Amino acid sequence: MAEITSGEILHTGEILHIIINAEKEAAQLMLSAGEVLAERKTGRRDVVTEYDRKVQALLMERLSAALPGAKFFCEENMQRDDLDGEHVFIIDPIDGTMNFVHGFNHSCISVAYRHRGVLSAAAVYNPYVDEMFSAVKGEGAFLNGRPIHIHDDGLSESVVCCGTAPYDVSLTDRSFEMIKKAFLAGLDIRRQGSAELDLCSVAAGRAGLYFELQVSLWDYAAGMLIVQEAGGTCLNIDGSEMPFDGSKPGILAGGKKAIADFLKLQ
């Protein structure tokens, strides 16, 4: 990939194309993995593998070559640059690492691009089913190049994706109380183990709602833009605006009707 020289200006669509190519290249590392050994980070549920690190390193190398001087906010190796930089890539090299370790084949590579404080482009790639979700701000959301849109029905007509905030057991009781309420109010529950893919399921109209009580920025940055560009909304779990400061908020994403119904349950 040719490096962009001084004076050249990349359009956001070109940056998205670079992200997509880098994700597809990095995906070969995941698909070629044999036995995967997991290492603990903060606890037995928070794990990392050599493939997480290899995928992140490859993505950073390709994106740095294309956009010299870009900053990175990534899950692994404590790579946490200033989020207010001119060009910032937010990377989750393997979202759904526990799935990856145990062979569930439901994990993804996620990259979001933020330009001067504005979330501008995103791509989420599930290599196991060859699904590339993407978006550029103001230009809609796509799955493998085809436009996607949310399913804007109420909660009673929605399948609900959820997460269990597994890294903070102080949230366990509340998480399962909310899951029960959502199950009774909706059609059914899906707990799939990847926040970014849950967000993409909402964007593609497969699920009407996704919620979780704690997520990190790399878990939702890309999926948030894809949901928004598909016509949906992404909020904090209490209905407030989603932060973009590196904190660990809750998350609620879907169409306006399903979100309104869900907020009445709390």
Side-chain angles (χ1 to χ4, degrees):
M1 183 182 298
E3 180 175 310
I4 303 303
T5 60
S6 177
E8 288 188 75
I9 299 175
L10 281 176
H11 297 294
T12 307
E14 294 174 311
I15 293 173
L16 176 62
H17 183 67
I18 292 165
I19 292 171
I20 288 172
N21 285 342
E23 287 187 350
K24 287 188 173 181
E25 181 182 356
Q28 297 308 308
L29 296 171
M30 293 174 61
L31 295 175
S32 64
E35 182 180 2
V36 179
L37 300 178
E39 306 167 28
R40 293 184 181 184
K41 293 195 290 186
T42 62
R44 65 188 178 90
R45 293 189 178 94
D46 187 12
V47 297
V48 65
T49 73
E50 64 176 310
Y51 295 95
D52 294 80
R53 298 189 182 101
K54 288 179 178 179
V55 168
Q56 180 170 303
L58 188 152
L59 293 171
M60 290 180 65
E61 180 180 344
R62 297 295 182 266
L63 297 172
S64 292
L67 200 62
K71 304 299 183 182
F72 292 90
F73 193 92
C74 308
E75 179 171 12
E76 309 305 342
N77 298 339
M78 296 305 294
Q79 182 72 43
R80 311 280 198 276
D81 291 341
D82 184 0
L83 285 165
D84 293 325
E86 182 167 358
H87 304 286
V88 182
F89 291 101
I90 302 161
I91 297 175
D92 193 337
I94 302 179
D95 185 43
T97 299
M98 190 68 77
N99 284 350
F100 177 65
V101 169
H102 290 276
F104 277 89
N105 291 355
H106 188 79
S107 308
C108 65
I109 300 172
S110 169
V111 178
Y113 167 65
R114 197 172 192 231
H115 178 54
R116 296 177 180 172
V118 177
L119 195 57
S120 299
V124 174
Y125 185 48
N126 180 349
Y128 298 107
V129 291
D130 191 26
E131 289 192 335
M132 178 68 73
F133 298 88
S134 64
V136 168
K137 185 174 178 59
E139 298 183 11
F142 299 86
L143 168 55
N144 292 344
R146 300 185 302 274
I148 54 174
H149 306 280
I150 64 159
H151 179 68
D152 194 18
D153 279 340
L155 190 55
S156 65
E157 298 301 318
S158 297
V159 172
V160 178
C161 289
C162 63
T164 54
Y167 307 147
D168 187 348
V169 295
S170 70
L171 299 173
T172 300
D173 287 344
R174 185 181 171 210
S175 290
F176 282 91
E177 287 168 5
M178 293 178 70
I179 290 169
K180 181 179 179 179
K181 288 180 180 180
F183 170 73
L184 293 173
L187 292 176
D188 206 348
I189 292 291
R190 298 290 182 270
R191 199 288 192 221
Q192 302 179 102
S194 166
E196 292 283 16
L197 288 178
D198 284 343
L199 287 164
C200 290
S201 290
V202 169
R206 297 169 179 171
L209 193 80
Y210 160 63
F211 73 92
E212 189 160 2
L213 293 185
Q214 186 182 85
V215 286
S216 296
L217 181 57
W218 46 76
D219 294 322
Y220 67 85
M224 177 177 176
L225 180 64
I226 294 168
V227 166
Q228 290 170 340
E229 288 298 315
T233 302
C234 191
L235 300 170
N236 202 328
I237 193 71
D238 61 4
S240 61
E241 185 176 345
M242 203 67 180
F244 229 85
D245 56 6
S247 60
K248 295 182 178 182
I251 190 168
L252 177 60
K256 291 181 180 179
K257 294 177 184 177
I259 286 178
D261 289 345
F262 182 84
L263 289 172
K264 293 175 184 176
L265 299 177
Q266 298 193 56

Short mmCIF file of all heavy atoms in Angstrom, two decimals, residues 76-139:
data_model
loop_
_atom_site.label_atom_id
_atom_site.label_comp_id
_atom_site.label_asym_id
_atom_site.label_seq_id
_atom_site.Cartn_x
_atom_site.Cartn_y
_atom_site.Cartn_z
N GLU A 76 -5.60 -3.31 22.86
CA GLU A 76 -4.43 -4.04 23.35
C GLU A 76 -3.20 -3.15 23.49
O GLU A 76 -3.10 -2.09 22.87
CB GLU A 76 -4.13 -5.22 22.42
CG GLU A 76 -5.32 -6.12 22.12
CD GLU A 76 -6.01 -6.68 23.36
OE1 GLU A 76 -5.41 -6.67 24.45
OE2 GLU A 76 -7.16 -7.11 23.23
N ASN A 77 -2.27 -3.63 24.30
CA ASN A 77 -0.94 -3.02 24.47
C ASN A 77 -0.99 -1.58 24.97
O ASN A 77 -0.06 -0.81 24.76
CB ASN A 77 -0.14 -3.08 23.16
CG ASN A 77 0.11 -4.50 22.71
OD1 ASN A 77 0.05 -5.43 23.53
ND2 ASN A 77 0.38 -4.69 21.43
N MET A 78 -2.09 -1.21 25.62
CA MET A 78 -2.21 0.12 26.23
C MET A 78 -1.96 1.25 25.24
O MET A 78 -1.41 2.30 25.59
CB MET A 78 -1.25 0.25 27.43
CG MET A 78 -1.58 -0.70 28.58
SD MET A 78 -3.29 -0.53 29.17
CE MET A 78 -3.23 1.14 29.84
N GLN A 79 -2.36 1.05 24.01
CA GLN A 79 -2.22 2.09 22.99
C GLN A 79 -3.42 3.03 23.10
O GLN A 79 -4.51 2.76 22.61
CB GLN A 79 -2.19 1.47 21.60
CG GLN A 79 -2.02 2.47 20.46
CD GLN A 79 -0.61 3.04 20.40
OE1 GLN A 79 0.35 2.30 20.55
NE2 GLN A 79 -0.51 4.34 20.17
N ARG A 80 -3.23 4.16 23.80
CA ARG A 80 -4.33 5.09 24.09
C ARG A 80 -3.89 6.52 23.78
O ARG A 80 -3.56 7.30 24.68
CB ARG A 80 -4.76 5.00 25.55
CG ARG A 80 -4.99 3.61 26.10
CD ARG A 80 -6.35 3.05 25.73
NE ARG A 80 -6.69 1.94 26.60
CZ ARG A 80 -6.30 0.69 26.42
NH1 ARG A 80 -5.52 0.39 25.38
NH2 ARG A 80 -6.67 -0.27 27.24
N ASP A 81 -3.89 6.89 22.53
CA ASP A 81 -3.53 8.25 22.14
C ASP A 81 -4.69 9.20 22.42
O ASP A 81 -5.82 8.78 22.71
CB ASP A 81 -3.16 8.29 20.66
CG ASP A 81 -1.86 7.57 20.35
OD1 ASP A 81 -1.07 7.35 21.29
OD2 ASP A 81 -1.64 7.21 19.18
N ASP A 82 -4.42 10.48 22.28
CA ASP A 82 -5.42 11.52 22.50
C ASP A 82 -6.57 11.37 21.51
O ASP A 82 -6.36 11.37 20.29
CB ASP A 82 -4.75 12.89 22.35
CG ASP A 82 -5.68 14.04 22.66
OD1 ASP A 82 -6.85 13.80 23.01
OD2 ASP A 82 -5.22 15.20 22.56
N LEU A 83 -7.77 11.27 22.02
CA LEU A 83 -8.93 11.10 21.15
C LEU A 83 -9.30 12.36 20.38
O LEU A 83 -10.11 12.30 19.45
CB LEU A 83 -10.14 10.65 21.98
CG LEU A 83 -10.12 9.18 22.42
CD1 LEU A 83 -11.14 8.93 23.52
CD2 LEU A 83 -10.38 8.27 21.23
N ASP A 84 -8.74 13.48 20.76
CA ASP A 84 -9.05 14.74 20.09
C ASP A 84 -8.06 15.09 18.98
O ASP A 84 -8.05 16.21 18.49
CB ASP A 84 -9.11 15.88 21.11
CG ASP A 84 -10.28 15.73 22.07
OD1 ASP A 84 -11.34 15.25 21.61
OD2 ASP A 84 -10.14 16.06 23.25
N GLY A 85 -7.24 14.14 18.59
CA GLY A 85 -6.29 14.38 17.50
C GLY A 85 -7.02 14.59 16.17
O GLY A 85 -8.21 14.29 16.03
N GLU A 86 -6.29 15.05 15.17
CA GLU A 86 -6.91 15.32 13.88
C GLU A 86 -7.37 14.04 13.20
O GLU A 86 -8.45 13.97 12.62
CB GLU A 86 -5.94 16.07 12.96
CG GLU A 86 -6.56 16.42 11.61
CD GLU A 86 -5.74 17.41 10.82
OE1 GLU A 86 -4.70 17.87 11.33
OE2 GLU A 86 -6.14 17.71 9.69
N HIS A 87 -6.53 13.00 13.26
CA HIS A 87 -6.86 11.71 12.67
C HIS A 87 -6.68 10.63 13.74
O HIS A 87 -5.55 10.40 14.19
CB HIS A 87 -5.96 11.39 11.48
CG HIS A 87 -5.97 12.44 10.41
ND1 HIS A 87 -7.02 12.61 9.55
CD2 HIS A 87 -5.04 13.38 10.07
CE1 HIS A 87 -6.76 13.60 8.71
NE2 HIS A 87 -5.57 14.09 9.01
N VAL A 88 -7.76 10.00 14.15
CA VAL A 88 -7.70 8.99 15.22
C VAL A 88 -8.42 7.72 14.75
O VAL A 88 -9.56 7.78 14.30
CB VAL A 88 -8.35 9.49 16.52
CG1 VAL A 88 -8.20 8.43 17.62
CG2 VAL A 88 -7.73 10.81 16.97
N PHE A 89 -7.74 6.59 14.88
CA PHE A 89 -8.34 5.29 14.60
C PHE A 89 -8.61 4.58 15.92
O PHE A 89 -7.72 4.47 16.77
CB PHE A 89 -7.42 4.44 13.73
CG PHE A 89 -7.28 4.95 12.32
CD1 PHE A 89 -6.14 5.67 11.94
CD2 PHE A 89 -8.26 4.73 11.38
CE1 PHE A 89 -5.99 6.14 10.65
CE2 PHE A 89 -8.13 5.20 10.08
CZ PHE A 89 -7.00 5.91 9.72
N ILE A 90 -9.83 4.09 16.08
CA ILE A 90 -10.23 3.36 17.28
C ILE A 90 -10.38 1.90 16.88
O ILE A 90 -11.20 1.56 16.02
CB ILE A 90 -11.54 3.92 17.85
CG1 ILE A 90 -11.37 5.40 18.17
CG2 ILE A 90 -11.97 3.14 19.10
CD1 ILE A 90 -12.66 6.16 18.30
N ILE A 91 -9.59 1.04 17.50
CA ILE A 91 -9.44 -0.34 17.02
C ILE A 91 -9.77 -1.36 18.11
O ILE A 91 -9.26 -1.27 19.23
CB ILE A 91 -8.01 -0.59 16.52
CG1 ILE A 91 -7.69 0.30 15.32
CG2 ILE A 91 -7.80 -2.07 16.17
CD1 ILE A 91 -6.25 0.20 14.84
N ASP A 92 -10.62 -2.31 17.76
CA ASP A 92 -10.74 -3.55 18.53
C ASP A 92 -10.29 -4.66 17.59
O ASP A 92 -11.02 -5.02 16.66
CB ASP A 92 -12.18 -3.77 18.98
CG ASP A 92 -12.27 -4.87 20.04
OD1 ASP A 92 -11.36 -5.71 20.10
OD2 ASP A 92 -13.25 -4.89 20.81
N PRO A 93 -9.10 -5.21 17.80
CA PRO A 93 -8.56 -6.17 16.83
C PRO A 93 -9.39 -7.44 16.70
O PRO A 93 -9.57 -7.96 15.60
CB PRO A 93 -7.15 -6.46 17.35
CG PRO A 93 -7.19 -6.08 18.80
CD PRO A 93 -8.16 -4.94 18.89
N ILE A 94 -9.87 -7.96 17.83
CA ILE A 94 -10.80 -9.08 17.80
C ILE A 94 -11.87 -8.81 18.85
O ILE A 94 -11.64 -8.99 20.05
CB ILE A 94 -10.12 -10.44 18.08
CG1 ILE A 94 -9.01 -10.71 17.06
CG2 ILE A 94 -11.16 -11.56 18.05
CD1 ILE A 94 -8.27 -12.03 17.28
N ASP A 95 -13.02 -8.35 18.42
CA ASP A 95 -14.13 -8.17 19.34
C ASP A 95 -14.87 -9.50 19.42
O ASP A 95 -15.34 -10.02 18.42
CB ASP A 95 -15.07 -7.07 18.84
CG ASP A 95 -16.17 -6.78 19.86
OD1 ASP A 95 -15.85 -6.71 21.05
OD2 ASP A 95 -17.33 -6.65 19.45
N GLY A 96 -14.93 -10.04 20.63
CA GLY A 96 -15.42 -11.40 20.81
C GLY A 96 -14.27 -12.36 20.99
O GLY A 96 -14.29 -13.47 20.42
N THR A 97 -13.27 -11.96 21.77
CA THR A 97 -12.09 -12.82 21.96
C THR A 97 -12.47 -14.14 22.63
O THR A 97 -11.92 -15.19 22.27
CB THR A 97 -11.01 -12.10 22.77
OG1 THR A 97 -10.59 -10.93 22.07
CG2 THR A 97 -9.79 -12.99 22.98
N MET A 98 -13.41 -14.11 23.59
CA MET A 98 -13.81 -15.36 24.23
C MET A 98 -14.43 -16.31 23.20
O MET A 98 -14.16 -17.52 23.21
CB MET A 98 -14.80 -15.08 25.36
CG MET A 98 -15.09 -16.29 26.24
SD MET A 98 -13.66 -16.82 27.23
CE MET A 98 -13.67 -15.58 28.53
N ASN A 99 -15.23 -15.77 22.30
CA ASN A 99 -15.76 -16.60 21.20
C ASN A 99 -14.63 -17.17 20.36
O ASN A 99 -14.64 -18.34 19.96
CB ASN A 99 -16.68 -15.76 20.31
CG ASN A 99 -18.04 -15.51 20.92
OD1 ASN A 99 -18.39 -16.10 21.93
ND2 ASN A 99 -18.79 -14.61 20.32
N PHE A 100 -13.65 -16.33 20.05
CA PHE A 100 -12.52 -16.73 19.23
C PHE A 100 -11.73 -17.87 19.89
O PHE A 100 -11.39 -18.87 19.24
CB PHE A 100 -11.61 -15.51 19.00
CG PHE A 100 -10.36 -15.79 18.24
CD1 PHE A 100 -10.40 -16.20 16.92
CD2 PHE A 100 -9.11 -15.60 18.84
CE1 PHE A 100 -9.22 -16.44 16.21
CE2 PHE A 100 -7.94 -15.84 18.14
CZ PHE A 100 -8.00 -16.26 16.82
N VAL A 101 -11.48 -17.74 21.17
CA VAL A 101 -10.71 -18.75 21.90
C VAL A 101 -11.44 -20.09 21.90
O VAL A 101 -10.82 -21.16 21.76
CB VAL A 101 -10.45 -18.27 23.35
CG1 VAL A 101 -9.88 -19.41 24.20
CG2 VAL A 101 -9.49 -17.08 23.35
N HIS A 102 -12.77 -20.05 22.02
CA HIS A 102 -13.54 -21.29 22.18
C HIS A 102 -14.18 -21.78 20.88
O HIS A 102 -14.98 -22.72 20.90
CB HIS A 102 -14.60 -21.10 23.26
CG HIS A 102 -14.01 -20.98 24.64
ND1 HIS A 102 -13.67 -22.08 25.40
CD2 HIS A 102 -13.65 -19.90 25.36
CE1 HIS A 102 -13.15 -21.68 26.55
NE2 HIS A 102 -13.13 -20.35 26.55
N GLY A 103 -13.82 -21.15 19.75
CA GLY A 103 -14.24 -21.67 18.47
C GLY A 103 -15.69 -21.45 18.10
O GLY A 103 -16.27 -22.22 17.32
N PHE A 104 -16.29 -20.38 18.63
CA PHE A 104 -17.69 -20.10 18.28
C PHE A 104 -17.84 -19.47 16.90
O PHE A 104 -18.94 -19.37 16.38
CB PHE A 104 -18.32 -19.18 19.34
CG PHE A 104 -18.83 -19.90 20.56
CD1 PHE A 104 -17.99 -20.13 21.63
CD2 PHE A 104 -20.13 -20.35 20.61
CE1 PHE A 104 -18.44 -20.80 22.75
CE2 PHE A 104 -20.59 -21.03 21.73
CZ PHE A 104 -19.74 -21.25 22.81
N ASN A 105 -16.74 -19.01 16.32
CA ASN A 105 -16.78 -18.41 14.98
C ASN A 105 -17.76 -17.24 14.88
O ASN A 105 -18.48 -17.08 13.89
CB ASN A 105 -17.11 -19.45 13.91
CG ASN A 105 -15.99 -20.45 13.72
OD1 ASN A 105 -14.91 -20.33 14.31
ND2 ASN A 105 -16.22 -21.45 12.90
N HIS A 106 -17.77 -16.43 15.93
CA HIS A 106 -18.59 -15.21 15.94
C HIS A 106 -17.77 -14.10 16.60
O HIS A 106 -17.94 -13.78 17.77
CB HIS A 106 -19.90 -15.43 16.68
CG HIS A 106 -20.86 -14.28 16.55
ND1 HIS A 106 -21.63 -14.06 15.42
CD2 HIS A 106 -21.16 -13.27 17.41
CE1 HIS A 106 -22.37 -12.97 15.60
NE2 HIS A 106 -22.10 -12.47 16.79
N SER A 107 -16.84 -13.58 15.84
CA SER A 107 -15.95 -12.51 16.30
C SER A 107 -15.71 -11.59 15.11
O SER A 107 -15.96 -11.97 13.96
CB SER A 107 -14.61 -13.07 16.80
OG SER A 107 -14.80 -14.08 17.76
N CYS A 108 -15.18 -10.40 15.38
CA CYS A 108 -14.99 -9.46 14.29
C CYS A 108 -13.79 -8.57 14.53
O CYS A 108 -13.25 -8.48 15.63
CB CYS A 108 -16.24 -8.59 14.11
SG CYS A 108 -16.58 -7.51 15.51
N ILE A 109 -13.38 -7.91 13.46
CA ILE A 109 -12.35 -6.87 13.50
C ILE A 109 -13.06 -5.53 13.32
O ILE A 109 -13.87 -5.37 12.41
CB ILE A 109 -11.31 -7.07 12.40
CG1 ILE A 109 -10.62 -8.43 12.56
CG2 ILE A 109 -10.27 -5.95 12.42
CD1 ILE A 109 -9.73 -8.81 11.40
N SER A 110 -12.76 -4.60 14.20
CA SER A 110 -13.51 -3.34 14.21
C SER A 110 -12.56 -2.14 14.19
O SER A 110 -11.63 -2.07 15.00
CB SER A 110 -14.38 -3.28 15.47
OG SER A 110 -14.93 -1.99 15.65
N VAL A 111 -12.81 -1.22 13.26
CA VAL A 111 -12.04 0.02 13.18
C VAL A 111 -12.98 1.19 12.92
O VAL A 111 -13.81 1.13 12.01
CB VAL A 111 -10.98 -0.02 12.05
CG1 VAL A 111 -10.23 1.31 11.99
CG2 VAL A 111 -10.01 -1.18 12.26
N ALA A 112 -12.85 2.23 13.73
CA ALA A 112 -13.57 3.49 13.51
C ALA A 112 -12.55 4.59 13.28
O ALA A 112 -11.46 4.57 13.86
CB ALA A 112 -14.45 3.82 14.70
N TYR A 113 -12.90 5.54 12.44
CA TYR A 113 -12.03 6.68 12.13
C TYR A 113 -12.70 7.96 12.61
O TYR A 113 -13.86 8.24 12.25
CB TYR A 113 -11.75 6.75 10.63
CG TYR A 113 -11.14 8.05 10.17
CD1 TYR A 113 -9.86 8.42 10.58
CD2 TYR A 113 -11.84 8.90 9.31
CE1 TYR A 113 -9.30 9.62 10.14
CE2 TYR A 113 -11.28 10.09 8.88
CZ TYR A 113 -10.01 10.45 9.30
OH TYR A 113 -9.45 11.63 8.89
N ARG A 114 -11.99 8.72 13.42
CA ARG A 114 -12.50 9.98 13.94
C ARG A 114 -11.64 11.13 13.43
O ARG A 114 -10.42 11.12 13.60
CB ARG A 114 -12.49 9.95 15.48
CG ARG A 114 -13.35 11.01 16.15
CD ARG A 114 -13.41 10.76 17.64
NE ARG A 114 -14.43 11.54 18.31
CZ ARG A 114 -14.22 12.29 19.38
NH1 ARG A 114 -13.01 12.36 19.92
NH2 ARG A 114 -15.22 12.95 19.93
N HIS A 115 -12.28 12.10 12.81
CA HIS A 115 -11.56 13.23 12.21
C HIS A 115 -11.98 14.52 12.90
O HIS A 115 -13.15 14.91 12.84
CB HIS A 115 -11.86 13.31 10.71
CG HIS A 115 -11.21 14.46 10.02
ND1 HIS A 115 -9.85 14.70 10.09
CD2 HIS A 115 -11.72 15.44 9.24
CE1 HIS A 115 -9.56 15.78 9.38
NE2 HIS A 115 -10.68 16.24 8.86
N ARG A 116 -11.02 15.13 13.59
CA ARG A 116 -11.26 16.41 14.29
C ARG A 116 -12.50 16.34 15.19
O ARG A 116 -13.34 17.21 15.18
CB ARG A 116 -11.39 17.54 13.28
CG ARG A 116 -10.11 17.79 12.49
CD ARG A 116 -10.29 18.87 11.45
NE ARG A 116 -9.05 19.10 10.70
CZ ARG A 116 -8.97 19.88 9.63
NH1 ARG A 116 -10.03 20.52 9.17
NH2 ARG A 116 -7.81 20.03 9.01
N GLY A 117 -12.58 15.26 15.95
CA GLY A 117 -13.65 15.11 16.91
C GLY A 117 -14.95 14.56 16.37
O GLY A 117 -15.93 14.44 17.11
N VAL A 118 -15.00 14.21 15.08
CA VAL A 118 -16.23 13.71 14.47
C VAL A 118 -16.02 12.27 14.01
O VAL A 118 -15.08 11.98 13.25
CB VAL A 118 -16.66 14.58 13.27
CG1 VAL A 118 -17.90 13.99 12.60
CG2 VAL A 118 -16.93 16.01 13.72
N LEU A 119 -16.89 11.38 14.46
CA LEU A 119 -16.84 9.99 14.01
C LEU A 119 -17.24 9.97 12.54
O LEU A 119 -18.38 10.28 12.19
CB LEU A 119 -17.80 9.16 14.85
CG LEU A 119 -17.68 7.64 14.81
CD1 LEU A 119 -16.29 7.19 15.19
CD2 LEU A 119 -18.72 7.01 15.72
N SER A 120 -16.30 9.59 11.66
CA SER A 120 -16.50 9.82 10.22
C SER A 120 -16.58 8.57 9.37
O SER A 120 -17.18 8.60 8.29
CB SER A 120 -15.35 10.70 9.71
OG SER A 120 -15.35 11.95 10.38
N ALA A 121 -15.95 7.48 9.77
CA ALA A 121 -15.98 6.25 8.98
C ALA A 121 -15.79 5.05 9.90
O ALA A 121 -15.17 5.17 10.96
CB ALA A 121 -14.90 6.26 7.90
N ALA A 122 -16.33 3.92 9.47
CA ALA A 122 -16.22 2.72 10.30
C ALA A 122 -16.40 1.47 9.46
O ALA A 122 -17.13 1.48 8.46
CB ALA A 122 -17.27 2.74 11.41
N ALA A 123 -15.74 0.40 9.88
CA ALA A 123 -15.92 -0.91 9.25
C ALA A 123 -15.81 -1.99 10.32
O ALA A 123 -14.92 -1.93 11.18
CB ALA A 123 -14.91 -1.14 8.15
N VAL A 124 -16.71 -2.95 10.25
CA VAL A 124 -16.72 -4.10 11.16
C VAL A 124 -16.79 -5.35 10.28
O VAL A 124 -17.74 -5.52 9.50
CB VAL A 124 -17.93 -4.05 12.12
CG1 VAL A 124 -18.00 -5.33 12.95
CG2 VAL A 124 -17.84 -2.82 13.02
N TYR A 125 -15.80 -6.23 10.42
CA TYR A 125 -15.71 -7.40 9.53
C TYR A 125 -15.77 -8.68 10.33
O TYR A 125 -14.96 -8.92 11.22
CB TYR A 125 -14.41 -7.35 8.74
CG TYR A 125 -14.28 -8.45 7.70
CD1 TYR A 125 -15.32 -8.74 6.82
CD2 TYR A 125 -13.11 -9.20 7.60
CE1 TYR A 125 -15.20 -9.74 5.87
CE2 TYR A 125 -12.98 -10.19 6.65
CZ TYR A 125 -14.03 -10.46 5.78
OH TYR A 125 -13.92 -11.46 4.84
N ASN A 126 -16.75 -9.52 10.00
CA ASN A 126 -16.84 -10.88 10.54
C ASN A 126 -16.31 -11.83 9.47
O ASN A 126 -17.02 -12.15 8.51
CB ASN A 126 -18.28 -11.22 10.90
CG ASN A 126 -18.42 -12.63 11.47
OD1 ASN A 126 -17.48 -13.43 11.43
ND2 ASN A 126 -19.59 -12.94 11.99
N PRO A 127 -15.07 -12.30 9.60
CA PRO A 127 -14.48 -13.11 8.53
C PRO A 127 -15.09 -14.50 8.41
O PRO A 127 -14.98 -15.14 7.36
CB PRO A 127 -13.01 -13.20 8.93
CG PRO A 127 -13.01 -13.04 10.42
CD PRO A 127 -14.12 -12.07 10.72
N TYR A 128 -15.76 -14.97 9.46
CA TYR A 128 -16.30 -16.33 9.43
C TYR A 128 -17.46 -16.46 8.46
O TYR A 128 -17.72 -17.55 7.93
CB TYR A 128 -16.72 -16.76 10.84
CG TYR A 128 -15.55 -16.80 11.80
CD1 TYR A 128 -15.41 -15.82 12.78
CD2 TYR A 128 -14.58 -17.78 11.70
CE1 TYR A 128 -14.33 -15.83 13.65
CE2 TYR A 128 -13.50 -17.82 12.57
CZ TYR A 128 -13.38 -16.83 13.54
OH TYR A 128 -12.30 -16.85 14.38
N VAL A 129 -18.18 -15.37 8.25
CA VAL A 129 -19.30 -15.39 7.30
C VAL A 129 -19.08 -14.36 6.19
O VAL A 129 -19.98 -14.10 5.39
CB VAL A 129 -20.65 -15.14 8.01
CG1 VAL A 129 -21.01 -16.32 8.88
CG2 VAL A 129 -20.61 -13.85 8.84
N ASP A 130 -17.89 -13.77 6.15
CA ASP A 130 -17.51 -12.80 5.13
C ASP A 130 -18.52 -11.65 5.05
O ASP A 130 -18.99 -11.28 3.98
CB ASP A 130 -17.36 -13.47 3.76
CG ASP A 130 -16.70 -12.54 2.73
OD1 ASP A 130 -15.94 -11.64 3.14
OD2 ASP A 130 -16.97 -12.72 1.51
N GLU A 131 -18.83 -11.07 6.22
CA GLU A 131 -19.73 -9.92 6.26
C GLU A 131 -18.95 -8.67 6.67
O GLU A 131 -18.39 -8.61 7.77
CB GLU A 131 -20.88 -10.16 7.23
CG GLU A 131 -21.88 -11.18 6.72
CD GLU A 131 -23.16 -11.23 7.52
OE1 GLU A 131 -23.13 -10.86 8.72
OE2 GLU A 131 -24.20 -11.65 6.95
N MET A 132 -18.94 -7.70 5.77
CA MET A 132 -18.28 -6.41 6.02
C MET A 132 -19.35 -5.33 6.17
O MET A 132 -20.03 -4.97 5.21
CB MET A 132 -17.34 -6.06 4.87
CG MET A 132 -16.64 -4.70 5.03
SD MET A 132 -15.44 -4.64 6.40
CE MET A 132 -14.10 -5.63 5.68
N PHE A 133 -19.51 -4.84 7.38
CA PHE A 133 -20.40 -3.73 7.66
C PHE A 133 -19.58 -2.44 7.60
O PHE A 133 -18.47 -2.39 8.13
CB PHE A 133 -21.03 -3.86 9.05
CG PHE A 133 -21.88 -5.08 9.23
CD1 PHE A 133 -21.33 -6.28 9.65
CD2 PHE A 133 -23.25 -5.03 8.99
CE1 PHE A 133 -22.12 -7.41 9.83
CE2 PHE A 133 -24.05 -6.15 9.16
CZ PHE A 133 -23.48 -7.34 9.58
N SER A 134 -20.13 -1.41 6.97
CA SER A 134 -19.35 -0.18 6.82
C SER A 134 -20.25 1.03 6.75
O SER A 134 -21.45 0.93 6.46
CB SER A 134 -18.48 -0.25 5.56
OG SER A 134 -19.29 -0.32 4.40
N ALA A 135 -19.65 2.19 7.02
CA ALA A 135 -20.40 3.45 6.95
C ALA A 135 -19.43 4.61 6.84
O ALA A 135 -18.32 4.58 7.40
CB ALA A 135 -21.29 3.63 8.17
N VAL A 136 -19.85 5.63 6.13
CA VAL A 136 -19.22 6.94 6.12
C VAL A 136 -20.29 7.93 6.57
O VAL A 136 -21.45 7.83 6.15
CB VAL A 136 -18.70 7.32 4.72
CG1 VAL A 136 -18.31 8.79 4.65
CG2 VAL A 136 -17.50 6.45 4.35
N LYS A 137 -19.93 8.83 7.44
CA LYS A 137 -20.91 9.77 7.98
C LYS A 137 -21.63 10.51 6.87
O LYS A 137 -21.01 11.08 5.97
CB LYS A 137 -20.22 10.78 8.91
CG LYS A 137 -21.20 11.73 9.62
CD LYS A 137 -20.49 12.59 10.63
CE LYS A 137 -21.47 13.58 11.29
NZ LYS A 137 -22.58 12.87 11.99
N GLY A 138 -22.96 10.48 6.92
CA GLY A 138 -23.79 11.16 5.95
C GLY A 138 -24.05 10.41 4.67
O GLY A 138 -24.75 10.90 3.79
N GLU A 139 -23.51 9.17 4.56
CA GLU A 139 -23.64 8.43 3.31
C GLU A 139 -24.33 7.08 3.46
O GLU A 139 -24.38 6.30 2.52
CB GLU A 139 -22.26 8.24 2.68
CG GLU A 139 -21.58 9.56 2.31
CD GLU A 139 -20.25 9.37 1.61
OE1 GLU A 139 -19.94 8.22 1.22
OE2 GLU A 139 -19.52 10.37 1.47
#
